[in-house]
Amino acid sequence: MKFGTYFAYWEREWDADYASYCEKAAGLGFDVLEVAAGGLAQRTDAELFDIKRAAQENGVEITACIGLPPQYNTASADEGVRRAGVEYLKRIMDAMYKVDSHILGGIIYAYWPCDYNQPVDKERAREAAVRSMREAADTAESLDIVLAMETVNRFEQYIINSAEEAVEFVKEIGKENAKVMLDSFHMNIEEDGLGEAIRRTGNSLGHFHIGEGNRKVPGKGHMPWAEMGAALREAGYDGAVVMEPFVKMGGTVGSDIKVWRDLSEGAGVEQMDEDIREALRFVKKQFVE
């Protein structure tokens, strides 16, 4: 297994200087830096080259994640919106190729967060989502990119809420590079057992996000880390395990993630660095040793 962190642990907006975070992640002991896929799509080729160079110089891999905005809803009943979503994913993947990134995860099969003021037609939306992911997977295959469909809790989306639904979804896509992305935060809400959900996913698991149920770094909550680690080893998972804690209020990140109180206990950057460094040691002990 490789271990990574999401840049937004330190940020209040969904974009940042990803090149500098390559150095930061490596310095903290991580193998992987996850960035916002939408941020990559906005970069010039020169900026993308700088990110690629920084990743290579620091020995970290880049993975990308996104919850698509409504105008790019790949599960939309509006064919124009659905097509726009697929084309947006293609632009993202083109940028990923330029930084040598090979995992695109998140709510790429729909939009995020779901607006439940709108009517829900799960069967129709799921059919459109499968069609979109088949199209996107063809482009992804040509760029050596895996598409990882994230299971999320019922309050944020409705198409894929469990490992079981995710496995069936990727089977229906029918592409080797379509995989499941599990996230311990969402699993804590939706799954009967986290270890069993991992085992049920098996070799369909392509990416794994981790964090406590309270959104803090691993080790500062109640999650069954040893159980998850045993299940990952049993499943033979050797991909990326990426921390995705959110502990600070403010900005678009705080608003979107619904962080309404300081979960860091007033920590400055140095303490946040130490907290996530210790979390990495903790997770490695639970998952590998």
Side-chain angles (χ1 to χ4, degrees):
M1 279 178 269
K2 298 167 285 188
F3 294 89
T5 185
Y6 193 37
F7 83 99
Y9 170 61
W10 293 272
E11 293 287 339
R12 287 182 167 87
E13 299 299 329
W14 294 117
D15 200 5
D17 179 2
Y18 298 147
S20 68
Y21 274 107
C22 291
E23 181 178 0
K24 187 179 188 72
L28 291 169
F30 289 100
D31 312 301
V32 176
L33 173 69
E34 188 146 297
V35 304
L40 288 181
Q42 298 171 7
R43 297 297 201 276
T44 65
D45 283 356
E47 290 169 331
L48 292 170
F49 177 76
D50 286 343
I51 296 169
K52 178 180 179 179
R53 180 173 57 191
Q56 291 175 336
E57 288 176 351
N58 287 282
V60 298
E61 297 180 21
I62 299 287
T63 60
C65 186
I66 190 171
L68 289 174
Q71 66 268 31
Y72 297 131
N73 178 12
T74 47
S76 177
D78 183 322
E79 183 61 13
V81 173
R82 192 193 71 81
R83 288 295 322 157
V86 174
E87 292 305 314
Y88 182 54
L89 288 177
K90 290 179 180 179
R91 294 201 301 275
I92 287 172
M93 289 187 282
D94 181 62
M96 290 175 61
Y97 179 78
K98 291 172 182 176
V99 298
D100 196 26
S101 177
H102 301 280
I103 297 284
L104 174 58
I107 301 90
I108 56 178
Y109 52 84
Y111 76 106
W112 175 89
C114 183
D115 178 5
Y116 282 114
N117 290 314
Q118 304 299 316
V120 170
D121 184 343
K122 182 168 179 172
E123 184 176 352
R124 184 218 53 76
R126 187 180 183 282
E127 184 278 329
V130 168
R131 188 151 43 97
S132 294
M133 291 303 96
R134 284 176 183 155
E135 295 174 30
D138 288 337
T139 297
E141 184 179 22
S142 70
L143 301 174
D144 192 24
I145 290 172
V146 168
L147 300 181
M149 318 294 156
E150 184 175 10
T151 61
V152 294
N153 71 74
R154 70 196 74 179
F155 307 110
E156 298 183 33
Q157 241 297 327
Y158 59 88
I159 295 178
I160 302 176
N161 296 138
S162 70
E164 183 177 10
E165 286 187 319
V167 170
E168 289 303 312
F169 188 85
V170 299
K171 282 181 179 178
E172 192 166 339
I173 294 170
K175 304 287 187 178
E176 288 295 321
N177 62 331
K179 296 289 186 178
V180 172
M181 174 177 167
L182 296 179
D183 183 312
S184 64
F185 170 78
H186 299 290
M187 294 166 72
N188 182 56
I189 297 172
E190 298 291 343
E191 302 290 353
D192 294 337
L194 277 66
E196 179 55 33
I198 292 168
R199 287 189 289 271
R200 185 183 299 118
T201 305
N203 60 14
S204 292
L205 184 59
H207 201 50
F208 192 34
H209 271 184
I210 59 171
E212 292 286 356
N214 55 19
R215 285 298 200 184
K216 295 181 182 181
V217 297
K220 291 194 172 190
H222 67 270
M223 301 290 279
W225 296 107
E227 176 187 338
M228 285 189 278
L232 287 169
R233 293 191 297 272
E234 185 178 329
Y237 181 68
D238 63 356
V241 175
V242 175
M243 292 187 198
E244 194 192 32
F246 297 100
V247 297
K248 290 290 190 181
M249 299 179 292
T252 308
V253 173
S255 177
D256 286 350
I257 301 297
K258 308 298 185 286
V259 182
W260 307 123
R261 57 194 172 94
D262 182 10
L263 299 175
S264 76
E265 300 178 0
V269 173
E270 289 186 6
Q271 185 59 53
M272 289 177 68
D273 288 354
E274 182 55 37
D275 286 347
I276 205 165
R277 184 186 286 113
E278 176 57 34
L280 177 59
R281 289 193 287 263
F282 170 79
V283 169
K284 283 185 173 180
K285 186 172 294 185
Q286 301 294 322
F287 283 14
V288 178
E289 298 175 6

